[in-house]
Every structure is written in structure tokens, then in C-alpha cells.
Amino acid sequence: MSNPPPAPPSLADLRKEIDAIDEQVHQLLMQRGDIIDRLIKVKKTQEVGSAFRPAREADMMRRLVQRHRGILPLDTVEGIWRVIVSTFTYVQAPFSVHADVSVGESAMRDSARFHFGFVVPYVAHFSAQAAVEAVARSKGDLALVSTTSGHSPWWITLEPAGAPKVIARLPFIERADHPAALPVFAVSRVADDALLLEVETWSIRVSGWNAQVSRALSPLADVIAVPDTAFDGAALLVSIEAPSTLDKIKSALIAAGASVRSAALVGGHAKRYTVPS
């Protein structure tokens, strides 16, 4: 006779396993905090600059998606990870999130809370320019600005050396029904060696801007355009991803009849990581 199958575990046994795992997770978070405490002491003697590390965060998020499996939604995993990282970043160097709510307060607040949690202070502004200027006056704050916000050329504030820069585009992990789907740029000061330039963001001012020029540029890059001081001029925020380059963008502008008055690198970010449906 074959042996009978083993009895399934009881609910009490399974709950004990869950309690043990919960305790391990908590212990690991406290251990992470101990390491961050040591990191803060090391940084005081070895490193100067912002606690933001866009390249490291992008690499960590890619690895998180690649190893994830099981019934726990990816949204939950990403949200938990974002809160952990942003909270420990805040512990290292307190900062506030300045949000441009002109595109919709609820959507922007959802983005801020999903990516930065509730510990980091949230400050609402009624324009992208106001949010970016608040960051420029701060030592280490961060602004969230819609990637389609083009009422004013807020990115011109980022042109000077030493000014804040675009450091990320969120959400980094893109998928259908993302709980914080509003596409935003994150703007802050960041150490030169920490800036990620897989996608470069350029402030370009042109003369001779018209619909034909816009159509010529659209296949090469993502562009926000607003009228500039000249009657036919425009201030552009251009996001350039390889194989496009600034030279290709300039050539396309000139070939379409525009002239380039100035160009300044105002930041960059990781390539978007798209998860299949």
C-alpha cells in the first residue's frame, strides 16, 4: 500500500511562518538603517553633495523587476522599495518635494507619495517655474514637473553651472495601469558623477520655429516647446536618446529652416523600463 499524502499545514502553522518572515523583514530594515547611519558618518569625511544617486536607483529597479515573481503585484513591490529608498535618502540629507500641481493636484500628489512616501515633506506650487525656483533656492530639495508642462520655459533656470538639473523621469518602470502614471521630471542638485545621461535633456533656443520645424524634430526626440522672446522664436526642452545626438537635432532644425541660438545641457535620466502587459 502507498503511504497517504502528508497532512496540509494548519492555519496556525502558516501564520507562524508569516510572523517569522515579518520579523525578518523588520530586522533587515533596521540593519539597513544601521548601515545608513555608518554611511552618513563616512560621507562627512569622504564625500560632498546630494544623497540622490539616479544611476544606482535605476540599476536597482531594473534588478528588482528582473527577479520578481509570484502573486505579489509589481506595483506593491516597487512602491515599498521606493518608500524605503526615499526615506533613507531623507534620513541622510532631509529634503522636500516641490510639486507643480498645475497639471492636476491629485495625479501629482499620487506620483509624489508613490515615489517618496509620506515622511518626505510635500510642497505644492501652482506652476512648474515656482517649483523649480524653490529647488534652486534650496540646498537639496527636489521638484516634480510634468513632462508636458509647457506654459513657461521653466528649464531655462537649469542652464547655469551649479544650477539644479533634471535627474530622473518618473515613473521609471512603465506598465499598463501604473498607480502613479503621470509622467514627470525630477529636478534637483546632484553630484556630477551621479548624473545619469542615458537620455540627455537639452535646453535649446531657436528662431524660425513653426509647425514644419516641429514635425521635422518629432521623430528624433521628445520636445516641449514654448514661445520665446523673438516673434518666431521658441524655447525647447529636448530629450535625446541614442542613436539621436545633439548634432542630429541641430542639423534637423537647420534643414527645416530654423536657426539655433543656444543649447545647454540641463540634465538627463535613465531610459524608461517598459514591462510587457
Side-chain angles (χ1 to χ4, degrees), residues 31-94:
Q31 289 178 34
R32 196 183 198 280
D34 292 339
I35 295 172
I36 294 296
D37 192 33
R38 288 154 47 199
L39 180 67
I40 293 170
K41 294 172 183 176
V42 170
K43 280 190 172 185
K44 286 182 179 178
T45 59
Q46 296 184 14
E47 184 176 296
V48 177
S50 168
F52 297 115
R53 288 293 179 271
R56 176 170 167 77
E57 288 191 17
D59 181 60
M60 292 172 73
M61 286 306 303
R62 290 186 183 106
R63 286 187 280 117
L64 181 147
V65 175
Q66 289 165 1
R67 69 171 175 259
H68 183 63
R69 62 176 178 79
I71 64 172
L72 185 65
L74 182 58
D75 293 335
T76 302
V77 176
E78 183 188 2
I80 291 171
W81 183 89
R82 288 288 184 185
V83 170
I84 290 171
V85 171
S86 63
T87 300
F88 279 120
T89 301
Y90 178 79
V91 169
Q92 292 180 62

Side-chain angles (χ1 to χ4, degrees), residues 101-119:
V101 300
S102 63
V103 295
E105 201 278 338
S106 60
M108 184 60 79
R109 183 178 290 273
D110 284 349
S111 179
R113 293 310 187 201
F114 181 87
H115 291 100
F116 300 98
F118 287 86
V119 172

Side-chain angles (χ1 to χ4, degrees), residues 5-264:
S10 67
L11 286 177
D13 289 337
L14 292 174
R15 285 166 180 158
K16 284 181 182 179
E17 288 187 44
I18 291 173
D19 289 343
I21 291 171
D22 288 346
E23 182 176 346
Q24 291 175 45
V25 171
H26 190 197
Q27 292 288 348
L28 288 171
L29 286 173
M30 290 188 290
Q31 289 178 34
R32 196 183 198 280
D34 292 339
I35 295 172
I36 294 296
D37 192 33
R38 288 154 47 199
L39 180 67
I40 293 170
K41 294 172 183 176
V42 170
K43 280 190 172 185
K44 286 182 179 178
T45 59
Q46 296 184 14
E47 184 176 296
V48 177
S50 168
F52 297 115
R53 288 293 179 271
R56 176 170 167 77
E57 288 191 17
D59 181 60
M60 292 172 73
M61 286 306 303
R62 290 186 183 106
R63 286 187 280 117
L64 181 147
V65 175
Q66 289 165 1
R67 69 171 175 259
H68 183 63
R69 62 176 178 79
I71 64 172
L72 185 65
L74 182 58
D75 293 335
T76 302
V77 176
E78 183 188 2
I80 291 171
W81 183 89
R82 288 288 184 185
V83 170
I84 290 171
V85 171
S86 63
T87 300
F88 279 120
T89 301
Y90 178 79
V91 169
Q92 292 180 62
F95 67 99
S96 296
V97 171
H98 298 268
D100 165 29
V101 300
S102 63
V103 295
E105 201 278 338
S106 60
M108 184 60 79
R109 183 178 290 273
D110 284 349
S111 179
R113 293 310 187 201
F114 181 87
H115 291 100
F116 300 98
F118 287 86
V119 172
V120 178
Y122 173 88
V123 184
H125 297 268
F126 292 106
S127 70
Q129 188 69 36
V132 171
E133 288 176 353
V135 169
R137 293 191 298 268
S138 74
K139 290 185 178 180
D141 288 356
L142 180 143
L144 293 182
V145 180
S146 168
T147 61
T148 60
S149 185
H151 299 295
S152 65
W154 53 267
W155 51 88
I156 290 175
T157 306
L158 314 182
E159 291 182 354
K165 305 297 179 189
V166 172
I167 66 169
R169 183 196 181 280
L170 304 173
F172 170 64
I173 299 176
E174 292 199 346
R175 57 193 175 278
D177 301 321
H178 194 291
L182 180 69
V184 297
F185 288 123
V187 176
S188 185
R189 287 188 171 84
V190 70
D192 291 340
D193 63 350
L195 190 63
L196 184 58
L197 297 176
E198 292 177 355
V199 179
E200 298 177 347
T201 52
W202 286 84
S203 173
I204 302 177
R205 304 189 208 189
V206 301
S207 296
W209 181 258
N210 54 42
Q212 179 181 341
V213 178
S214 177
R215 286 193 296 270
L217 208 57
S218 60
L220 301 177
D222 292 330
V223 181
I224 304 175
V226 298
D228 203 358
T229 51
F231 176 76
D232 64 344
L236 313 179
L237 181 64
V238 183
S239 298
I240 305 174
E241 180 179 339
S244 292
T245 63
L246 179 62
D247 287 341
K248 286 185 178 180
I249 298 299
K250 287 182 175 180
S251 297
L253 287 167
I254 293 169
S259 59
V260 178
R261 292 154 48 200
S262 66

